[in-house]
Amino acid sequence: MDLTVNITTQQDNSILGVISGEIDAHTAPKLREQLLAIDTKSTNKAVLDLAGVGYMDSTGIGVIVAFYKSVIADGGELTLIGLSPRLKRLFDITGLSGIIHVEEEA
């Protein structure tokens, strides 16, 4: 499966990245490239919508962590939304849900 990344700047100047597909060693470089292109200095909030992500391995986790570090270094915050139970469990097991803000389903 391929990976689709759609990044837009919202009216409040926050960044929304809608990601769908599988994030693995094959597709992670594409995601990394898209996320690195974001000017994190010009926004204070970034949101990654992972509702369309069916699978993520450790390579994908590494890309998300690197983006998180970039956003935080520039004084912003990162929120992950739309995590499937499988992805939520992955972030819980790795301890990242205690570091990166994961928005729970209402």
Side-chain angles (χ1 to χ4, degrees):
M1 181 174 223
D2 204 17
L3 181 72
T4 303
V5 182
N6 184 9
I7 298 172
T8 56
T9 302
Q10 305 301 296
Q11 286 184 352
D12 65 355
N13 207 37
S14 66
I15 300 295
L16 174 62
V18 179
I19 303 165
S20 60
E22 295 182 354
I23 307 172
D24 57 22
H26 177 70
T27 60
K30 177 180 179 179
L31 177 60
R32 180 179 294 113
E33 180 181 310
Q34 295 281 330
L35 294 179
L36 284 175
I38 297 172
D39 180 11
T40 55
K41 291 180 186 350
S42 65
T43 185
N44 64 350
K45 182 170 176 132
V47 176
L48 295 182
D49 183 346
L50 303 176
V53 175
Y55 173 82
M56 181 187 302
D57 69 7
S58 60
T59 313
I61 292 282
V63 171
I64 301 289
V65 168
F67 181 62
Y68 167 78
K69 287 180 178 181
S70 175
V71 170
I72 294 300
D74 289 329
E77 65 179 66
L78 173 63
T79 301
L80 303 179
I81 63 172
L83 274 70
S84 67
R86 184 178 189 175
L87 285 183
K88 174 71 169 89
R89 181 164 156 52
L90 182 62
F91 278 85
D92 287 345
I93 287 171
T94 58
L96 290 171
S97 60
I99 299 169
I100 300 173
H101 179 72
V102 176
E103 196 165 290
E104 300 289 334
E105 294 295 322

